[in-house]
Amino acid sequence: MPPTSTTGTRTHCPYCSLQCGMTLERVGRALEVRPWPEFPVNEGALCRKGWTATGLRGHRERLTTPLVRDRATGALRAAGWDEALDMVADRLRAVQDAHGRDAVAVFGGGGLTNEKAYQLGKLARVALGTSQVDYNGRWCMSSAASAGNQAFGIDRGLPFPLADVEQADVVVLVGSNLAETMPPAARHLDRLRERGGRVVVVDPRRTPTADRADVFVQPVPGTDLPIALGLLHLLDAAGAVDEEYVATRTTGFDTVRRSVAAWWPERVERVSGVPAAQLRKLADLLAGSERVMVLTARGAEQHSQGTATVLAWIDVALALGMPGKVGAGYGCLTGQGNGQGGREHGQKADQLPGYRMIDDPAARAHVAGVWGVDPDSLPGPGRSAYELLDTLGTDDGARALLVLGSNIVVSAPNATYVTERLAALDLLVVADIVMSETAALADVVLPVTQWAEETGTMTNLEGRVVLREQAVAPPEGVRSDLEVMAGLAERLGSPVPFSTDPAEVFTELGRASAGGRADYAGITYERIRAEHGVFWPCPREDHPGTPRLFAESFATPDGRARFVAVDHVGAAEQPDAAYPLHLTTGRVLAQYQSGAQTRRVRDLPDDGPFVELHPLLAGRIGVRDGEPVVVTTRRGELKAPARVVATIRPDTVFVPFHWVGANRLTNDALDPSSRMPEFKVCAAAVRA
C-alpha cells in the first residue's frame, strides 16, 4: 500500500489539467474524498466532479474481465487474460505479416499517466515497430503547442504558476470558460479583481466566466485572430509597443508590424462583429497596464487556423513586453488531465520522450540508447490523430488499432465517418474501465485499472509533475495499462523488456527525457511527495525545478522570442443559404470529455445534450425553451431540447460534446501546423 497521510492517501483528481490535490479516505467499505488544503494549486477546493470522483468505484458497469467478440455470433463473451492477450498478439502479427508494420496503429489519450504515455510510445516503436501512433491530446491544445514552439522554442502550457494570475493587472481569457471547466482556478480571477485588476473574456457565449469579467467581447465564432491583429494595430499606432523589449528580446517584429497595418478597427468589426469602439477601449486598457496576461483555451485553438490565432495573441503579449515578467505573459489553459505530460514523452506521431523530435538523429540515438535498441530500428514520423483515423481500414492505412484512454466514437470530429472507419478494421482492441461507445465496437475489450487503483505521475497545466497515489486495490480480474503493454510486448517478441512497475518506468522516462526540452531527469517520486510537485525542466536531482520560464531568455537558439506574422483566412466552412448559422461546441460544468466516466457517476446531473440558441433565432424557427430542435451540418444531424438564452449570439448555436451526437456535426478540417480539427466552428442549420 502506498504512503498515506494521517487522514488518508494524498493524490490528485482524475479529471482536468489542474490536477487538484485531494485526500482519499477509507470509511468502512467506502472510499471518500477529503480536502488536501496544503496542495497549492487548489488549496483544498474541488469542483463537483472532484468531490464525486469515487463514484465509479464498485459501479455495476465496471469492466472486470476481458471480452472477445465471438466470430460466429458477433457477441462479446468473457475470456481469460491469457486467451485475450494471445489472441491480440496473434492477430496483430498476422496483420503486420500481411500488410507491413504500419498496418497496426496505436491511439492513446491525454488522461494517461506519464508512465503509460511513455510506455505506449515505446510499445509502438519497439515491440510493434510501427510509426502509426498518436493520441486524443492532438485535439486538445496542439495548436497552442505548435505556436509556443514557434514563438518561444518550447511548449509548456503555462510558463508560470497558475497563482501568478493574481499578480496581473489585466488578464485576457480567449476562448476559455474557466469558471465551469476549472472552477477551483476561478478564485484567482476573483482575487485579481479584489486587488483592482481587470478580467477580459473573449467568447461567442456569455458564460459564467464572462459574468465574472470586467470586459466581455463577443465575436463571431472563429474570429479571435482578427481581434488580436486589430489590437496590435492599435497598440502600435498608439506607441504602446515596448520597443526596448522588442529590440533586445525578440526577432521578427518589423514584418508583423507591416502585416497588422491592414487591420484597422472598422475592418475587424466587419469580420468579427466586435464594435470598433470596444476594440479601441480594450487596446487602451492593455496599453495602460503594467502587467498583462493573455490566456487561450480550446475556444481559440480548436480551429483550422488555431495555431495562427495563438501566434497572433502571443504577438500582442510580446509587443507589450510581457513574457518573462512575473504576473504577465502568455499561457495556455490545458484541458485534459495529462494534456501537458501526455504529449511530452512519445505518444505523438512525431515525438520521442523529452519532447524530442523523432526525425532528429541525435534524439533517436539518445532514446534508442536508453531503450537498448538500434536507432535505425525506430520508425519515422507517423500520421496525426485524425489523419490516422481517416485512413483506417484502407489500403494505405492501418488495419488494426489498439486504443488506450480514448473514446473515439464520441470525441472525434465528423464522428459518423470515423465510426465507419473503425468498423472497417480487421481488429479493434480497446482498453477501458467501462463499456464506452468505442469499446462497444471492439473485437477485444481489456478491463484496466482506474485512477485510485494505481500509481503514476501527471503533469498539470503549469508544468508541475504530480503523483497520483494508489489508494485501493483494483477489482479482481482487472490489470493496469502497464501490465497490458508488458503482456503484449512479451508475446510480440519485443527485443527489450517492459516493466509493469510505474516507479521503474518513471525512472526510465527520466533517463530518456534527459537533455530534452521537457527534461524530467531530476524528478523522483520522493521529490514530488516532499515538494508537492516538481516543475520541469529539472535536469538534476539537486535542481529546484523551473516554475517560471523566460525571465532571462527564451528556449530558441539565440535566446530571443519569435514574432510570427499571420493573417486571417476564416473558418474552413462559412455559413450559406442552406446552413446559415455558426455551430460551436464546448463543455458543461458536471461532465468531462466524452462523458464515459462522469455520465456514470450518480451524483453528477446528466440531462443529456441540448442546443443553446438565442431568443431571436428561437422565435424565427418557432421554438420555445425545452422543445426539441434538430441541428444539421453537412456531416450529420442532432436532435435535442432547445435552451433559449440571451447569452449567445443570434447567429450561433452551441452544443456540448459530452454525448454522442455533437461530433457527428463538427468539421474535420485540419490546422496545417498542429493538425488540430476545427471543432469550434462550422456552418449549421436548425429547425423545430
Side-chain angles (χ1 to χ4, degrees):
M1 188 58 65
T4 61
S5 71
T6 56
T7 57
T9 302
R10 287 176 174 169
T11 188
H12 297 271
C13 179
Y15 297 117
C16 83
S17 68
L18 285 180
Q19 285 301 287
C20 292
M22 60 168 57
T23 302
L24 295 180
E25 184 175 335
R26 296 292 296 267
V27 180
R29 298 181 62 183
L31 186 66
E32 297 190 1
V33 177
R34 299 283 190 260
W36 179 8
E38 297 81 13
F39 188 69
V41 174
N42 60 307
E43 300 172 343
L46 295 166
C47 72
R48 66 173 68 178
K49 293 188 292 293
W51 288 119
T52 60
T54 60
L56 274 183
R57 179 169 161 75
H59 196 281
R60 60 184 176 81
E61 292 188 52
R62 183 71 190 277
L63 297 173
T64 57
T65 186
L67 303 170
V68 299
R69 196 167 297 281
D70 190 297
R71 292 188 173 183
T73 65
L76 289 169
R77 62 169 178 83
W81 272 101
D82 285 339
E83 179 190 358
L85 292 178
D86 287 346
M87 177 187 298
V88 172
D90 289 345
R91 293 183 67 180
L92 291 177
R93 271 195 302 267
V95 168
Q96 289 189 318
D97 289 344
H99 304 285
R101 288 286 189 176
D102 282 354
V104 171
V106 178
F107 200 91
L112 298 179
T113 63
N114 289 314
E115 293 80 357
K116 295 178 187 179
Y118 167 80
Q119 199 87 304
L120 193 63
K122 181 179 175 182
L123 176 77
R125 282 140 184 155
V126 175
L128 288 165
T130 180
S131 68
Q132 301 304 298
V133 53
D134 214 278
Y135 81 129
N136 64 18
R138 179 78 70 170
W139 304 336
C140 178
M141 57 171 289
S142 59
S143 292
S146 175
N149 281 322
Q150 291 181 55
F152 305 131
I154 198 168
D155 159 32
R156 199 175 88 182
L158 293 185
F160 42 72
L162 182 63
D164 278 13
V165 167
E166 299 174 18
Q167 301 180 55
D169 296 316
V170 178
V171 170
V172 183
L173 290 168
V174 188
S176 169
N177 183 9
L178 190 72
E180 285 195 288
T181 58
M182 299 176 176
R187 75 188 193 284
H188 296 300
L189 301 180
D190 296 336
R191 291 172 182 172
L192 165 69
R193 297 181 72 200
E194 286 169 4
R195 50 167 290 272
R198 309 287 293 278
V199 175
V200 179
V201 169
V202 182
D203 199 311
R205 302 167 61 225
R206 187 176 188 95
T207 64
T209 308
D211 287 338
R212 299 167 101 122
D214 301 281
V215 179
F216 173 49
V217 180
Q218 192 169 26
V220 172
T223 62
D224 299 319
L225 172 51
I227 294 171
L229 299 176
L231 283 174
L232 190 47
H233 171 104
L234 289 168
L235 292 169
D236 188 33
V241 173
D242 187 333
E243 299 288 355
E244 181 181 359
Y245 179 99
V246 168
T248 59
R249 299 211 57 191
T250 74
T251 63
F253 182 61
D254 287 344
T255 302
V256 169
R257 173 175 268 157
R258 288 192 296 271
S259 71
V260 300
W263 283 96
W264 56 92
E266 287 73 19
R267 183 185 178 194
V268 175
E269 179 175 351
R270 288 199 301 272
V271 173
S272 70
V274 175
Q278 186 181 35
L279 194 71
R280 288 189 172 95
K281 288 182 180 179
L282 179 54
D284 290 343
L285 175 63
L286 301 185
S289 301
E290 183 179 344
R291 294 182 299 274
V292 174
M293 183 180 291
V294 176
L295 302 175
T296 65
R298 306 303 80 71
E301 300 156 12
Q302 288 181 322
H303 295 272
S304 58
Q305 274 203 289
T307 301
T309 299
V310 176
L311 283 168
W313 284 98
I314 290 176
D315 286 346
V316 171
L318 287 172
L320 291 168
M322 297 299 158
K325 182 186 292 187
V326 175
Y330 165 78
C332 168
L333 297 168
T334 310
Q336 294 193 77
N338 203 27
Q340 181 70 53
R343 66 182 180 277
E344 294 171 352
H345 298 301
Q347 67 171 333
K348 276 181 76 174
D350 55 354
Q351 287 177 202
L352 288 171
Y355 221 125
R356 289 179 160 90
M357 304 315 292
I358 199 167
D359 55 2
D360 176 3
R364 294 169 66 86
H366 174 84
V367 174
V370 173
W371 287 347
V373 299
D374 185 340
D376 292 338
S377 70
L378 300 179
R383 294 183 174 97
S384 72
Y386 186 78
E387 291 164 308
L388 186 157
L389 300 177
D390 183 38
T391 56
L392 292 177
T394 67
D395 291 341
D396 188 42
R399 309 301 294 267
L401 181 66
L402 175 63
V403 180
L404 279 76
S406 187
N407 189 8
I408 297 167
V409 168
V410 178
S411 61
N414 197 3
T416 299
Y417 171 74
V418 170
T419 303
E420 293 170 357
R421 299 272 37 92
L422 293 173
L425 289 165
D426 296 341
L427 176 67
L428 174 61
V429 182
V430 175
D432 212 330
I433 61 175
V434 295
M435 187 63 75
S436 69
E437 288 81 358
T438 306
L441 302 178
D443 300 289
V444 180
V445 182
L446 303 174
V448 291
T449 50
Q450 66 158 316
W451 131 93
E453 301 160 359
E454 59 187 13
T455 294
T457 60
M458 309 285 278
T459 306
N460 82 342
L461 78 171
E462 310 164 296
R464 185 195 303 258
V465 184
V466 301
L467 183 63
R468 285 184 179 175
E469 300 268 21
Q470 181 184 0
V472 292
E476 186 177 352
V478 170
R479 295 188 181 181
S480 73
D481 292 286
L482 293 180
E483 290 174 314
V484 169
M485 287 185 265
L488 285 176
E490 181 181 8
R491 287 166 171 81
L492 291 165
S494 170
V496 296
F498 279 64
S499 176
T500 60
D501 181 342
E504 290 181 2
V505 175
F506 187 75
T507 299
E508 183 179 301
L509 179 160
R511 296 200 309 273
S513 71
R517 278 184 278 180
D519 190 336
Y520 284 34
I523 305 177
T524 64
Y525 280 15
E526 290 71 25
R527 282 195 64 183
I528 296 172
R529 290 182 180 118
E531 300 172 30
H532 294 167
V534 180
F535 290 88
W536 71 261
C538 184
R540 307 177 311 278
E541 287 196 33
D542 63 349
H543 191 283
T546 314
R548 293 179 181 86
L549 304 176
F550 314 146
E552 297 179 358
S553 66
F554 297 92
T556 55
D558 61 3
R560 292 170 175 254
R562 306 285 191 255
F563 277 95
V564 181
V566 295
D567 203 4
H568 177 65
V569 176
E573 191 175 85
Q574 296 292 336
D576 57 18
Y579 299 97
L581 303 169
H582 301 280
L583 167 69
T584 191
T585 65
R587 286 171 53 184
V588 296
L589 177 63
Q591 299 298 324
Y592 180 72
Q593 300 301 86
S594 75
Q597 297 175 76
T598 49
R599 284 187 278 118
R600 290 172 168 85
V601 174
R602 181 183 58 191
D603 294 330
L604 291 175
D606 179 6
D607 299 326
F610 58 87
V611 179
E612 191 175 278
L613 65 163
H614 192 274
L616 291 176
L617 177 57
R620 194 158 70 238
I621 64 173
V623 166
R624 295 187 178 91
D625 187 73
E627 294 180 346
V629 295
V630 177
V631 179
T632 59
T633 71
R634 289 179 173 85
R635 289 153 296 281
E637 69 176 39
L638 167 72
K639 180 180 178 181
R643 286 195 184 176
V644 181
V645 296
T647 51
I648 194 170
R649 291 179 57 92
D651 58 3
T652 301
V653 293
F654 167 84
V655 177
F657 58 62
H658 309 290
W659 295 269
V660 173
N663 278 320
R664 291 177 178 170
L665 307 174
T666 51
N667 195 357
D668 55 10
L670 300 181
D671 181 290
S673 176
S674 67
R675 316 310 288 166
M676 167 75 84
E678 191 149 56
F679 287 102
K680 280 295 182 279
V681 60
C682 65
V686 62
R687 67 178 189 273

